[in-house]
Amino acid sequence: MAVRIASDGGSRTGDRLTVGVAARLSQYLRVLTQARKMGKDRISSQEISEYTNINATQIRRDLSAFGKFGKRGVGYNIDSLIAEIRKILRTQGQHNIALFGAGRLGQAIASSTIFADHGFNIAGAFDNDPAKVGEPIGGTTISGYDELRELIREKNIIVAVLAVPPDAAQQVADEVVDAGVKIIFNYTEALLDVPHDVAVHTTSPAVELLYALYFYLT
Amino acid sequence: MAVRIASDGGSRTGDRLTVGVAARLSQYLRVLTQARKMGKDRISSQEISEYTNINATQIRRDLSAFGKFGKRGVGYNIDSLIAEIRKILRTQGQHNIALFGAGRLGQAIASSTIFADHGFNIAGAFDNDPAKVGEPIGGTTISGYDELRELIREKNIIVAVLAVPPDAAQQVADEVVDAGVKIIFNYTEALLDVPHDVAVHTTSPAVELLYALYFYLT
DNA sequence: TAGATTGTTAATCGATTAACAATC
DNA sequence: TAGATTGTTAATCGATTAACAATC
């Protein structure tokens, strides 16, 4: 467990990060990972700011609460900053996740590097179409829903990604929750009812557009 | 233009919403739209809270800054609340958007209702594969990049959705910006460099998972 | 009437920002 | 040395929350 620190400017309460800080650190990680992929070695708070729309002072403030990771006049070394943030977020290892739905969206997800880039390994994929069961998808094979419980337990999966039709989403959510999943990433527009100890994250591109449009229109 | 209001508890500065309020109102709209689709007529701030992870008091506070939309002891009428929020966000009409990339992800986007549900009409779709040009996708037809400028001007498009391979993303971004697009919704993990008057929104499911995982692990 | 839920207040806490000395 | 950028302070602003009267 982490060391309890009394005064840190609000980034931690007790030994837990605040929601805001954890969200921002994750954003920095996205930019750093991609910048490294593009061959960059170091980056300034100003550059991170341009890609995240988070104020540069806020970024330096967030980071300096945990140590002096930068070099004045130079910026931050990307490799070491990634390592530091991973340490802070305690997400250094690999995590197995399960994908539900092997349609166009599911296939697009499985063949992209968006999850793998951040240490998430698609360890199981499920579809209710018998014709798809046994077919390869990404680095794994499509399974039927009858193998769900066993695979989730065996691979120690706590994250489920839902890429099923919206009218099937609640049923799949019920099944994965029952099998022990604690975090659901919902690509459908369905509103999911889950127990309080399960977290649901729903992507809603249209919502983000609505709000971007407001600032364009005004 | 809107009426200037002096004192409203911080939800507006001058006649513009603050970023936080606009983002939350968009979230409420997502939940309301989906709740209506599921046949509900009214909803309480507590229910909206459960689906958005935004505090119920905050929700009532946000809404009451613009009028008394609810009924004590009853809740909010979904249809009228949707209309009110659309009025506040000035997004009552239809908006034409353009989709770039007609691969699995692009096809999944075009055939889902996530954009249509919020008034976004995919008025153009582009792919650089000549074999795909002319094929139907969603409610439109795939065009080649040579038709880009004309179509964007003709259909008055200011929003581009990027579902292309990551290594093509910057080039497509450059072209759409040049053609007049002001908002880019980026489904790729690429970091996009654009002029300051263009807004980029990047989806990063893995980032949201990292951060959800942190709160699960601690 | 009794129960439920809004609208609103007041207090606290975290986020944001400008500014600048320190230093690479 | 000159230029750049971090680390940090101080001040302000917006978000969050509990509590509860109003009222459907």
Side-chain angles (χ1 to χ4, degrees):
Chain A
M1 282 293 129
V3 177
R4 182 173 292 262
I5 291 175
S7 164
D8 66 343
S11 59
R12 284 172 284 188
T13 52
D15 52 1
R16 212 181 193 198
L17 301 177
T18 64
V19 176
V21 176
R24 291 198 299 279
L25 289 174
S26 306
Q27 285 283 329
Y28 308 154
L29 212 44
R30 168 179 74 85
V31 171
L32 294 167
T33 304
Q34 192 58 26
R36 176 166 65 178
K37 241 182 158 179
M38 289 162 65
K40 279 178 77 93
D41 285 331
R42 52 192 169 73
I43 196 166
S44 69
S45 58
Q46 184 54 43
E47 286 174 284
I48 302 178
S49 172
E50 277 156 23
Y51 291 121
T52 56
N53 297 314
I54 296 168
N55 182 282
T57 304
Q58 174 79 323
I59 295 171
R60 296 201 300 278
R61 207 180 203 307
D62 282 341
L63 297 174
S64 73
F66 301 98
K68 304 198 178 193
F69 303 143
K71 261 205 176 66
R72 292 167 198 242
V74 178
Y76 299 90
N77 176 281
I78 292 180
D79 280 332
S80 71
L81 191 52
I82 288 176
E84 294 290 355
I85 295 178
R86 286 217 176 119
K87 230 182 274 172
I88 298 165
L89 290 176
R90 305 183 201 180
T91 48
Q92 290 164 285
Q94 287 280 315
H95 298 277
N96 283 337
I97 66 178
L99 174 66
F100 294 84
R104 286 180 295 218
L105 179 58
Q107 285 173 33
I109 293 168
S111 59
S112 96
T113 62
I114 43 170
F115 285 109
D117 277 349
H118 293 274
F120 293 102
N121 171 42
I122 300 178
F126 299 87
D127 201 286
N128 63 1
D129 178 356
K132 285 183 181 159
V133 174
E135 295 290 312
I137 183 170
T140 184
T141 303
I142 300 173
S143 306
Y145 279 29
D146 51 317
E147 299 175 51
L148 191 154
R149 300 186 68 85
E150 195 190 335
L151 217 142
I152 284 182
R153 188 168 24 81
E154 198 174 85
K155 303 247 170 123
N156 200 22
I157 289 171
I158 58 157
V159 176
V161 175
L162 263 54
V164 298
D167 54 349
Q170 182 64 57
Q171 198 198 324
V172 174
D174 290 344
E175 289 185 45
V176 300
V177 165
D178 197 50
V181 159
K182 297 296 180 194
I183 297 171
I184 295 178
F185 195 86
N186 178 24
Y187 270 99
T188 81
E189 66 262 39
L191 298 176
L192 301 178
D193 290 309
V194 297
H196 280 102
D197 66 332
V198 176
V200 176
H201 283 246
T202 303
T203 56
S204 31
V207 167
E208 292 186 50
L209 283 189
L210 275 180
Y211 134 85
L213 210 52
Y214 173 80
F215 287 102
Y216 172 72
L217 294 173
T218 54
Chain B
M1 280 297 130
V3 177
R4 182 173 291 262
I5 291 176
S7 163
D8 67 340
S11 58
R12 284 172 285 188
T13 53
D15 52 1
R16 215 181 189 195
L17 302 176
T18 64
V19 176
V21 176
R24 292 198 298 279
L25 289 173
S26 306
Q27 285 283 328
Y28 307 154
L29 212 44
R30 168 179 75 85
V31 171
L32 294 167
T33 304
Q34 192 57 26
R36 177 167 64 176
K37 240 183 159 178
M38 288 161 66
K40 280 178 76 94
D41 285 331
R42 52 193 169 72
I43 196 167
S44 68
S45 58
Q46 185 53 44
E47 285 174 284
I48 302 178
S49 172
E50 277 158 21
Y51 291 121
T52 56
N53 297 314
I54 296 169
N55 182 282
T57 303
Q58 175 79 322
I59 295 170
R60 297 200 299 278
R61 206 178 203 309
D62 282 341
L63 296 175
S64 72
F66 301 98
K68 304 200 177 189
F69 303 142
K71 261 204 177 63
R72 290 168 199 242
V74 178
Y76 299 90
N77 175 282
I78 291 179
D79 281 331
S80 70
L81 192 52
I82 288 175
E84 293 291 356
I85 295 178
R86 287 215 176 122
K87 229 180 276 174
I88 298 166
L89 290 176
R90 305 183 201 178
T91 48
Q92 290 164 285
Q94 288 280 315
H95 297 278
N96 282 338
I97 66 177
L99 174 65
F100 293 84
R104 286 179 296 217
L105 179 57
Q107 286 173 34
I109 292 168
S111 58
S112 96
T113 62
I114 42 170
F115 285 109
D117 277 350
H118 293 275
F120 293 102
N121 171 42
I122 300 178
F126 299 87
D127 202 286
N128 64 359
D129 179 355
K132 285 182 180 160
V133 173
E135 294 291 311
I137 183 170
T140 185
T141 303
I142 300 173
S143 307
Y145 279 29
D146 50 318
E147 300 174 51
L148 191 155
R149 300 186 67 86
E150 195 190 335
L151 217 142
I152 284 183
R153 188 167 26 81
E154 197 175 87
K155 304 246 169 124
N156 199 21
I157 289 171
I158 59 157
V159 177
V161 175
L162 263 54
V164 298
D167 53 349
Q170 182 65 56
Q171 200 199 322
V172 174
D174 291 343
E175 290 184 43
V176 300
V177 165
D178 198 50
V181 159
K182 297 295 179 192
I183 299 171
I184 294 177
F185 196 85
N186 179 24
Y187 270 100
T188 81
E189 66 263 38
L191 299 176
L192 301 179
D193 290 310
V194 297
H196 279 103
D197 65 332
V198 176
V200 176
H201 283 245
T202 303
T203 55
S204 31
V207 167
E208 292 187 50
L209 283 188
L210 275 180
Y211 135 85
L213 211 52
Y214 174 80
F215 288 100
Y216 171 72
L217 293 173
T218 54

